[in-house]
Amino acid sequence: MPIPQQACWMVRKVIEAKEILEARHFVQLHNRSLIRQIYLHLLGDYNRVEWKSLMFNNTARPKAKFIIWLMMHGRLMTCDRLSSWKIIVDTQCVMCRKQVKTRDHLFVQCEYTKQIWSKLCNWMQKQYLGFIDWHQFLQWVVMCAKGKSQHAQVFKVVYAEVAYQIWIERNKRIFEQKK
């Protein structure tokens, strides 16, 4: 059956999935349900993101988790991103007035942010190493947030809320000229 052009994307996906499933014959193997096999087949081979432990089972506010999601995907409206769209903006960091505002600088390299993280890590009894690279910082955050322990749960919430508050502070300094 050809897929109608006027069909919405959801109907098209259902028809495509039906055709895929009709072409492949699934057999129940080793106590694996047929539904699970079909789901995994339709899902495909996508790599799991390393920062998923920051998002799931996190009791932080939804807007804080949304900022984390934007940050991890590199979609925050930082100056480097805006200037890549040919929008003229002040590229100097409003927190430390030293470097260009990028995601990496704002959340890892900025002196203001480093002070916040060192104080919070001291409070949470975690060792903060003063990271220079975003990827090292992200690996440390993911390692601290993994697991179901109370320390990991507290770290997830604190990380999300601190990242959100850093973003809000940055916006207040830019748009409201308040500290």
Side-chain angles (χ1 to χ4, degrees):
M1 173 179 169
I3 301 173
Q5 290 297 321
Q6 69 275 15
C8 69
W9 69 270
M10 189 181 302
V11 171
R12 283 190 208 146
K13 289 293 181 185
V14 168
I15 293 173
E16 287 173 10
K18 180 181 180 277
E19 291 173 357
I20 290 170
L21 294 176
E22 286 176 348
R24 179 160 178 197
H25 301 288
F26 290 95
V27 180
Q28 189 163 1
L29 300 170
H30 307 292
N31 290 336
R32 281 195 143 179
S33 73
L34 240 53
I35 304 266
R36 178 178 171 85
Q37 289 180 42
I38 293 168
Y39 171 75
L40 292 174
H41 178 73
L42 291 175
L43 186 62
D45 292 329
Y46 293 110
N47 295 331
R48 294 182 183 208
V49 292
E50 59 184 10
W51 47 266
K52 73 175 187 164
S53 61
L54 295 171
M55 299 298 293
F56 299 113
N57 297 322
N58 189 342
T59 57
R61 295 178 292 174
K63 52 186 166 182
K65 291 195 294 187
F66 181 66
I67 292 296
I68 294 291
W69 187 87
L70 288 174
M71 180 180 16
M72 295 302 166
H73 284 287
R75 300 208 183 260
L76 287 173
M77 292 297 149
T78 53
C79 290
D80 63 329
R81 192 150 186 256
L82 293 173
S83 60
S84 72
W85 295 345
K86 309 291 188 243
I87 297 173
I88 300 170
V89 291
D90 180 21
T91 58
Q92 195 175 35
C93 177
V94 292
M95 306 288 208
C96 67
R97 295 277 176 207
K98 292 182 181 176
Q99 292 183 351
V100 176
K101 283 184 277 190
T102 62
R103 174 197 64 180
D104 300 5
H105 173 74
L106 183 62
F107 292 103
V108 179
Q109 301 162 349
C110 183
E111 294 300 321
Y112 177 81
T113 305
K114 283 182 180 181
Q115 289 176 2
I116 291 172
W117 273 115
S118 69
K119 289 178 183 178
L120 281 171
C121 286
N122 189 26
W123 173 74
M124 289 187 295
Q125 299 173 350
K126 297 251 184 226
Q127 184 180 5
Y128 180 69
L129 304 173
F131 299 96
I132 297 172
D133 182 46
W134 167 259
H135 297 290
Q136 290 175 346
F137 179 72
L138 183 59
Q139 287 175 347
W140 174 75
V141 168
V142 168
M143 183 190 70
C144 291
K146 273 191 178 174
K148 296 182 180 181
S149 69
Q150 285 182 335
H151 291 292
Q153 296 298 320
V154 168
F155 186 84
K156 286 182 205 183
V157 173
V158 168
Y159 179 75
E161 295 295 337
V162 167
Y164 177 71
Q165 288 304 320
I166 290 170
W167 186 249
I168 293 300
E169 179 67 22
R170 171 225 179 247
N171 288 344
K172 281 185 181 178
R173 289 183 184 199
I174 291 173
F175 301 115
E176 298 175 18
Q177 285 77 36
K178 293 181 182 177
K179 288 186 178 183

